[in-house]
Amino acid sequence: MFVFLFVAVLCTGCLAVPMMHYSYSPSVGGGSGTSFSTEGGYGKITAIRVWELNNAYIVGIQLRYGGIWTERAGREIGVPEELELFDGETIVQVSGKYHSNYIYQLKFVTSRGRILFAGQPLYASFNFYASHPDAELKLLSGRSDGSGITALGAHWGVHEEESNTTDV
């Protein structure tokens, strides 16, 4: 009887704690240079900027959370490719091409099917997406050297105000 009561109390306690739906897409690329993270402490992602070098490889990335742009990862050359998200729209996939030295192409796909392309389709492919169907891109991390982005990983999570934690 005591064991049954203990298990019942334990299970009830588990129901009171909301489940976290977080996943990480491990980084791709050579990984030389300085590490970066697009700090996601300002709310939801509302826009993306990507700089590329003469239609070659990716040299810089910047995300906007709410109305605040993060510090740029990498460098700024020319005019960036930019995608501003609509209200309620999220990033649900990040894919592209990479080699041992740089990220050569990036493709961001939104929950509305819109796409931002930058770079060239050279070398090996990667495809990042969340492990939970309600999750969205929270931040990017990786490495950059003086020339461009050398490694990239993606962090996913369910936005707390929209999550439904009835599943156990």
Side-chain angles (χ1 to χ4, degrees), residues 87-155:
D87 287 341
E89 188 175 24
T90 61
I91 302 298
V92 296
Q93 179 183 348
V94 180
S95 58
K97 300 283 188 171
Y98 73 99
H99 195 264
S100 60
N101 51 354
Y102 294 108
I103 304 299
Y104 279 82
Q105 182 186 58
L106 281 175
K107 173 181 159 185
F108 292 89
V109 180
T110 75
S111 56
R112 293 190 179 184
R114 297 192 310 140
I115 299 171
L116 171 86
F117 269 112
Q120 292 299 307
L122 302 171
Y123 304 111
S125 298
F126 67 90
N127 189 21
F128 298 155
Y129 53 90
S131 62
H132 189 276
D134 295 331
E136 63 192 80
L137 182 67
K138 292 300 203 178
L139 66 99
L140 296 170
S141 62
R143 298 185 78 77
S144 67
D145 63 14
S147 297
I149 305 298
T150 61
L152 188 70
H155 303 253

Side-chain angles (χ1 to χ4, degrees), residues 32-34 51-53 56-60 73-77 101-103 143-150:
S32 64
T34 306
W51 287 267
E52 63 179 285
L53 178 64
Y57 56 86
I58 305 302
V59 297
R75 58 189 190 138
E76 180 179 336
I77 295 178
N101 51 354
Y102 294 108
I103 304 299
R143 298 185 78 77
S144 67
D145 63 14
S147 297
I149 305 298
T150 61

